Amino acid sequence: MGDILAHESELLGLVKEYLDFAEFEDTLKTFSKECKIKGKPLCKTVGGSFRDSKSLTIQKDLVAAFDNGDQKVFFDLWEEHISSSIRDGDSFAQKLEFYLHIHFAIYLLKYSVGRPDKEELDEKISYFKTYLETKGAALSQTTEFLPFYALPFVPNPMVHPSFKELFQDSWTPELKLKLIKFLALISKASNTPKLLTIYYRKVFNTDIHPNCNKEILQQLHQQLVEAERRSVTYLKRYNKIQADYHNLIGVTAELVDSLEATVSGKMITPEYLQSVCVRLFSNQMRQSLAHSVDFTRPGTASTMLRASLAPVKLKDVPLLPSLDYEKLKKDLILGSDRLKAFLLQALRWRLTTSHPGEQRETVLQAYISNDLLDCYSHNQRSVLQLLHSTSDVVRQYMARLINAFASLAEGRLYLAQNTKVLQMLEGRLKEEDKDIITRENVLGALQKFSLRRPLQTAMIQDGLIFWLVDVLKDPDCLSDYTLEYSVALLMNLCLRSTGKNMCAKVAGLVLKVLSDLLGHENHEIQPYVNGALYSILSVPSIREEARAMGMEDILRCFIKEGNAEMIRQIEFIIKQLNSEELPDGVLESDDDEDEDDEEDHDIMEADLDKDELIQPQLGELSGEKLLTTEYLGIMTNTGKTRRKGLANVQWSGDEPLQRPVTPGGHRNGYPV
């Protein structure tokens, strides 16, 4: 009884606080009166109305500082009134704080009348840079925020494509709305009476009611879905690395034994070196190695080992479940835009995350044999028409899926069966002005199409070279992906005689654009610029134009600054520029050559799955789970023998590129 009386004042105070919070005004008066009559002391608690008014004042001050761009006032209030456990432990709060720092860093750029005060702008940028180097460093591994770590170092962020979204009129109001919602949620949690907090803790094992945390739970669920998808990718990488590791350990042990044997005077035979290399090289190269490599020549084995180590093919990779493609295609055409987007995303993920080899080939052959994209159909309503959807998300996800198809040689062959595919992509490329990623994926697909000669011819005839040259006049406004794939596509088209003739019509403009690109900071484009220049300079009229504009002097400037490979390529270009006669074969048209001139590379780049627009809500199906739950079909044999290509054709690096390539394949050096 004594213990109860000792805490009676606090317990009565909790009851009074709850009655005040729940607005039981008459009950509260009666309760307080009766406590007074009985001589029961009430523990003093902060009144609800006082708490509410104080909380509202803090919220108003924070929002006012946000609107006025008052960085110091805002973050002083932020750190004082938002608990460190929330600021450091809640992912939503961390992301919001990151974007708030961006808001204040670019505030003067967005809202100053005339030129912003340089000293004040430098101070804000410096504050943001300090944040990135300290507390903000925790998010540096998050793809969403990675581009913004370059913001303090970009001279004019307003025109940089990576920061285009920040300077749109809608960005600041949307961020302000997120801030207000967050403050309201925090305020509601802090104003909860202690009695209610004790109840929530007992029943829900949390300090606030789950409904108050619904938005955070949904975000956590979305993060979980993304994390699961990433974990599958990382597991595949781990398995591949582990297989390579075990293989290398085995070979290393044998080589150590061989070295010990040489100490005893035993010789290592060329056949033994050949067997070691065959174990390390990919299956596709074994036959050529066995017949064409001279292992008696000094240095051959070590050179091959350094240059051509290939991934070991994993065994027992499971085949993915078959799908009901008839139902799937019906929903792609007639379903809601949200369902269409999730289906397109899931189908793309199935292709991009499948294991290279039998599993990926089986997925692709299933898509093709069931005519997933309706390339063989002549119906007015087809899956291909989603490229012209009124929904930005559906349009983008259809472009991503087509780009994924085009990343694989058999996929390109399938898409090429329908002439409308190329026309639709060219139209979308020229019309798409709302969504950068949609245009990137359309461009990526067209660039991969340019590996096939009939499609090259069609693109040249459609005037795509003129469009590319016009876009490349202002490369600083292009994303890295758009720049690389535009230049690579231009080069592939310029390798054809008809393409060179097109360039001759606007020789001065083409030469100026290419010479400007030689000095661009993105060095990935240099091989394609060099290849395009070397190719078009085989045309006498273009050579004359280049000499008139002093092209040799321009090229020699880059010889002084370039690396060894770049220097050698430019020397070849200068030699071409100063040649008087056409090289053998240039006078003849190359339009009748065999269409299987394509290098049969499969290039599944990571950009296909970057910056996903949609995330599933709590309980909503997505990805492989959506496909196998709603569209599970009967397993059928869709295997097909891969046709042989020219995958073994190698580029020395000394000369400019003279065969069609795609950026992903050129960088990797081998099929993915």
Side-chain angles (χ1 to χ4, degrees):
M1 188 69 179
D3 290 340
I4 294 175
L5 290 173
H7 297 289
E8 187 178 36
S9 175
E10 185 177 353
L11 290 170
L12 293 172
L14 293 178
V15 173
K16 180 177 182 293
E17 182 189 33
Y18 177 74
L19 292 173
D20 183 24
F21 171 80
E23 298 180 352
F24 289 105
E25 296 177 2
D26 294 339
T27 306
L28 179 59
K29 289 178 183 177
T30 303
F31 176 75
S32 300
K33 183 178 179 181
E34 192 167 354
C35 285
K36 188 175 181 180
I37 292 171
K38 292 185 177 182
K40 305 285 187 182
L42 288 171
C43 179
K44 291 185 178 180
T45 59
V46 178
S49 58
F50 178 77
R51 276 199 315 269
D52 289 343
S53 61
K54 184 178 179 183
S55 177
L56 285 172
T57 301
I58 294 167
Q59 289 183 49
K60 287 179 180 178
D61 290 345
L62 279 164
V63 173
F66 177 91
D67 290 336
N68 297 329
D70 199 331
Q71 188 169 256
K72 187 178 185 310
V73 171
F74 182 91
F75 285 111
D76 284 347
L77 289 169
W78 180 265
E79 293 179 7
E80 181 181 353
H81 298 288
I82 308 297
S83 69
S84 59
S85 61
I86 293 175
R87 285 188 281 113
D88 299 333
D90 183 89
S91 61
F92 180 80
Q94 288 178 318
K95 290 183 177 183
L96 178 62
E97 185 172 349
F98 192 100
Y99 282 119
L100 287 168
H101 275 279
I102 293 176
H103 163 73
F104 288 109
I106 65 173
Y107 184 86
L108 291 176
L109 293 173
K110 290 187 73 170
Y111 299 108
S112 292
V113 179
R115 293 179 65 86
D117 181 83
K118 188 178 185 304
E119 186 176 341
E120 191 177 354
L121 178 61
D122 289 344
E123 183 182 343
K124 288 183 178 291
I125 294 295
S126 176
Y127 191 94
F128 179 52
K129 186 179 178 183
T130 302
Y131 166 76
L132 293 178
E133 293 169 349
T134 52
K135 188 177 178 182
L139 294 171
S140 62
Q141 301 304 312
T142 306
T143 307
E144 178 184 352
F145 299 106
L146 199 56
F148 301 118
Y149 284 80
L151 180 61
F153 307 99
V154 175
N156 190 357
M158 296 180 72
V159 299
H160 197 284
S162 298
F163 311 125
K164 182 180 178 181
E165 180 188 0
L166 303 179
F167 294 94
Q168 292 178 352
D169 293 339
S170 60
W171 188 80
T172 302
E174 287 174 1
L175 179 62
K176 181 178 177 180
L177 185 61
K178 289 180 183 177
L179 171 64
I180 292 171
K181 285 183 177 179
F182 175 77
L183 294 175
L185 185 64
I186 296 300
S187 173
K188 191 169 185 179
S190 63
N191 286 339
T192 304
K194 193 170 182 180
L195 187 63
L196 209 53
T197 302
I198 294 170
Y199 172 75
Y200 289 153
R201 197 174 296 165
K202 179 72 175 175
V203 177
F204 301 113
N205 196 28
T206 178
D207 286 351
I208 60 174
H209 194 283
N211 288 342
C212 297
N213 233 353
K214 187 176 179 181
E215 186 176 350
I216 294 176
L217 285 173
Q218 286 180 342
Q219 290 163 358
L220 289 173
H221 175 70
Q222 291 171 3
Q223 291 172 16
L224 177 62
V225 171
E226 186 65 24
E228 287 176 347
R229 197 172 71 81
R230 285 199 303 268
S231 70
V232 172
T233 303
Y234 294 149
L235 182 61
K236 290 176 182 175
R237 291 178 185 174
Y238 166 76
N239 289 335
K240 185 178 79 67
I241 292 170
Q242 188 179 50
D244 287 347
Y245 168 76
H246 288 305
N247 189 41
L248 288 170
I249 287 293
V251 173
T252 303
E254 288 185 24
L255 291 175
V256 170
D257 291 341
S258 301
L259 286 173
E260 289 178 352
T262 59
V263 175
S264 304
K266 296 180 181 179
M267 295 292 292
I268 297 176
T269 66
E271 289 75 20
Y272 173 75
L273 284 177
Q274 178 175 315
S275 69
V276 170
C277 289
V278 168
R279 286 177 58 189
L280 290 172
F281 300 151
S282 62
N283 291 333
Q284 296 95 325
M285 297 183 67
R286 289 184 182 179
Q287 188 174 0
S288 63
L289 280 171
H291 293 93
S292 63
V293 180
D294 181 6
F295 285 92
T296 62
R297 191 174 64 195
T300 298
S302 60
T303 301
M304 295 293 285
L305 284 170
R306 283 194 296 268
S308 305
L309 279 176
V312 178
K313 183 179 180 181
L314 297 181
K315 297 180 180 178
D316 302 323
V317 177
L319 296 180
L320 294 170
S322 184
L323 303 176
D324 183 346
Y325 286 94
E326 185 176 347
K327 179 184 177 186
L328 204 155
K329 287 168 66 176
K330 183 178 178 181
D331 284 352
L332 278 172
I333 295 172
L334 302 176
S336 66
D337 284 341
R338 187 168 180 81
L339 176 60
K340 291 175 184 177
F342 273 119
L343 285 175
L344 291 169
Q345 183 188 60
L347 290 165
R348 167 168 45 88
W349 283 356
R350 183 174 257 231
L351 200 55
T352 58
T353 62
S354 58
H355 192 277
E358 185 180 1
Q359 190 185 64
R360 181 170 290 168
E361 289 170 15
T362 303
V363 171
L364 181 62
Q365 289 305 324
Y367 287 179
I368 293 172
S369 61
N370 289 281
D371 193 17
L372 177 63
L373 301 184
D374 286 332
C375 286
Y376 301 128
S377 170
H378 298 290
N379 296 332
Q380 286 187 338
R381 302 189 73 175
S382 68
V383 176
L384 277 175
Q385 295 300 323
L386 295 180
L387 198 59
H388 294 314
S389 171
T390 55
S391 165
D392 292 347
V393 180
V394 172
R395 207 164 56 243
Q396 181 188 121
Y397 276 34
M398 184 61 188
R400 288 181 189 243
L401 182 58
I402 291 176
N403 194 10
F405 266 84
S407 299
L408 305 172
E410 292 295 327
R412 291 192 288 275
L413 180 60
Y414 167 64
L415 293 168
Q417 303 307 306
N418 191 329
T419 56
K420 289 184 179 178
V421 176
L422 179 61
Q423 295 169 6
M424 292 174 72
L425 288 171
E426 288 179 334
R428 186 80 269 143
L429 180 69
K430 296 170 183 177
E431 294 169 12
E432 187 62 57
D433 55 0
K434 290 183 179 179
D435 194 313
I436 293 175
I437 295 180
T438 300
R439 195 165 82 161
E440 283 183 352
N441 279 275
V442 169
L443 178 63
L446 286 170
Q447 202 285 325
K448 292 158 192 171
F449 275 18
S450 69
L451 297 175
R452 299 191 60 80
R453 296 181 63 78
L455 297 175
Q456 286 178 1
T457 301
M459 284 187 266
I460 293 168
Q461 291 174 348
D462 292 341
L464 200 56
I465 286 178
F466 301 137
W467 185 88
L468 289 167
V469 171
D470 187 61
V471 166
L472 291 170
K473 285 192 294 187
D474 193 5
D476 292 334
C477 290
L478 305 177
S479 66
D480 285 341
Y481 187 99
T482 300
L483 179 60
E484 289 176 32
Y485 277 78
S486 294
V487 180
L489 174 55
L490 178 62
M491 185 202 77
N492 286 357
L493 300 182
C494 287
L495 295 175
R496 300 289 301 281
S497 59
T498 51
K500 297 171 191 175
N501 291 334
M502 284 288 184
C503 289
K505 295 179 180 180
V506 286
L509 178 59
V510 174
L511 289 168
K512 183 182 185 306
V513 166
L514 290 174
S515 61
D516 288 346
L517 290 172
L518 281 170
H520 198 274
E521 60 185 8
N522 186 341
H523 298 297
E524 298 290 345
I525 68 173
Q526 287 181 352
Y528 317 127
V529 176
N530 293 343
L533 271 173
Y534 184 82
S535 178
I536 65 174
L537 286 173
S538 65
V539 179
S541 62
I542 298 180
R543 280 205 304 272
E544 289 177 14
E545 184 74 29
R547 291 168 186 165
M549 64 183 287
M551 177 63 75
E552 183 172 350
D553 292 337
I554 296 172
L555 292 169
R556 292 200 180 280
C557 289
F558 291 105
I559 284 183
K560 297 174 184 177
E561 302 172 1
N563 56 36
E565 184 179 299
M566 176 79 165
I567 290 170
R568 285 192 296 271
Q569 290 183 25
I570 290 180
E571 286 172 347
F572 272 98
I573 297 171
I574 292 174
K575 186 177 179 181
Q576 178 84 302
L577 174 64
N578 292 324
S579 65
E580 294 300 331
E581 295 182 1
L582 292 176
D584 292 339
V586 171
L587 283 171
E588 299 177 5
S589 172
D590 55 10
D591 295 343
D592 295 329
E593 292 183 18
D594 185 3
E595 78 167 76
D596 287 332
D597 190 38
E598 168 184 358
E599 291 191 22
D600 227 355
H601 287 172
D602 289 347
I603 314 102
M604 194 68 76
E605 68 262 19
D607 290 300
L608 289 165
D609 295 330
K610 74 173 184 180
D611 299 334
E612 296 288 358
L613 281 179
I614 56 171
Q615 298 291 345
Q617 296 177 354
L618 198 60
E620 191 173 20
L621 296 175
S622 68
E624 190 65 20
K625 197 167 185 180
L626 169 62
L627 295 178
T628 54
T629 302
E630 299 293 335
Y631 302 94
L632 196 61
I634 301 172
M635 181 65 75
T636 55
N637 182 14
T638 57
K640 182 179 177 181
T641 304
R642 282 180 59 84
R643 61 194 178 93
K644 301 293 182 182
L646 302 174
N648 289 332
V649 176
Q650 299 294 322
W651 174 59
S652 70
D654 290 345
E655 299 182 23
L657 287 164
Q658 298 175 54
R659 295 188 61 82
V661 296
T662 200
H666 174 64
R667 281 196 293 270
N668 295 337
Y670 54 82
V672 178

